Amino acid sequence: MSVRFTARARRGIVALTVAAGLAVGVAGCGGGDDDKKPETSASASKGTGSQPSTQEGQSDTPLAELKGQDGLLLQITSATRDAGGFVTVNGTLKNDSDKSVVVPAAVRGDETEIVRNGRSLGGATLVDSKGKKRYYVLRDTDGRPLTTTGFSTLKAGESLAVFMQFPAPPEGTTEVAFQLPTFASAPIQISG
């Protein structure tokens, strides 16, 4: 057999496999009687308990509020230790002024690898003053920071949900200082 015939046969088999997979997918999504209602409820409880209004693990009152320049405000809503050895900090970046504000480029930090990946909160750090260590935002294998990216301007009153992921301090460390360039520093509690 020639190499050309073998390559053509492989392409045919791959095309046949893909076509069969698509056909099964379409059949699985096929119509039925759309008027049928589910017999059971998917809710976990039918009581009148309170429903969470914020993301899981976040409270209504922020852990900290950091003021930045030109009316920017960062509210830290949670700092949670994950089982994998990470701390994820969630919050809201808000423009409290009455005009549009460009988020300063300094919030991404000045490391070449992070600057190369565009706007982010890559300049954020957690400082453990007892352990005398500073924890920087984690990066993926391509050097992109594990944080909210791709923002530049916030209109008056506009808010943006943000997150940053850090390596976790030792288990006994529950209070750290959160720092972000151009914003005030604030102590936060790590839960979990």
Side-chain angles (χ1 to χ4, degrees):
M1 266 195 257
S2 72
V3 173
R4 190 177 300 166
F5 176 78
T6 304
R8 187 177 299 155
R10 283 186 187 154
R11 281 194 304 267
I13 291 172
V14 169
L16 181 62
T17 304
V18 170
L22 288 173
V24 169
V26 169
C29 294
D33 188 6
D34 290 338
D35 294 334
K36 286 186 180 177
K37 303 283 187 229
E39 293 178 19
T40 60
S41 173
S43 65
S45 67
K46 294 186 180 191
T48 58
S50 65
Q51 298 295 321
S53 60
T54 57
Q55 290 184 0
E56 189 71 30
Q58 295 183 9
S59 64
D60 290 335
T61 57
L63 295 175
E65 287 189 351
L66 293 79
K67 293 190 180 208
Q69 62 189 32
D70 298 326
L72 288 175
L73 178 69
L74 178 61
Q75 295 178 324
I76 304 293
T77 55
S78 71
T80 309
R81 185 185 306 269
D82 301 335
F86 307 112
V87 170
T88 302
V89 176
N90 291 298
T92 304
L93 182 61
K94 183 177 182 183
N95 177 359
D96 260 356
S97 73
D98 57 353
K99 61 182 180 183
S100 290
V101 174
V102 175
V103 178
V107 298
R108 70 178 172 205
D110 58 1
E111 293 180 42
T112 306
E113 193 170 65
I114 290 183
V115 170
R116 188 175 9 165
N117 287 295
R119 298 267 179 160
S120 71
L121 299 175
T125 58
L126 297 179
V127 178
D128 173 11
S129 52
K130 287 183 184 173
K132 298 183 180 175
K133 290 193 177 189
R134 180 180 303 260
Y135 299 91
Y136 293 90
V137 169
L138 291 168
R139 290 144 184 90
D140 67 10
T141 55
D142 293 327
R144 292 182 299 253
L146 297 179
T147 178
T148 305
T149 60
F151 53 86
S152 62
T153 304
L154 291 176
K155 297 176 184 167
E158 185 177 16
S159 295
L160 173 69
V162 296
F163 82 96
M164 293 141 279
Q165 198 167 40
F166 301 90
E171 286 291 326
T173 303
T174 57
E175 186 171 312
V176 293
F178 177 85
Q179 298 177 340
L180 182 65
T182 75
F183 284 79
S185 178
I188 60 172
Q189 292 287 331
I190 299 173
S191 62

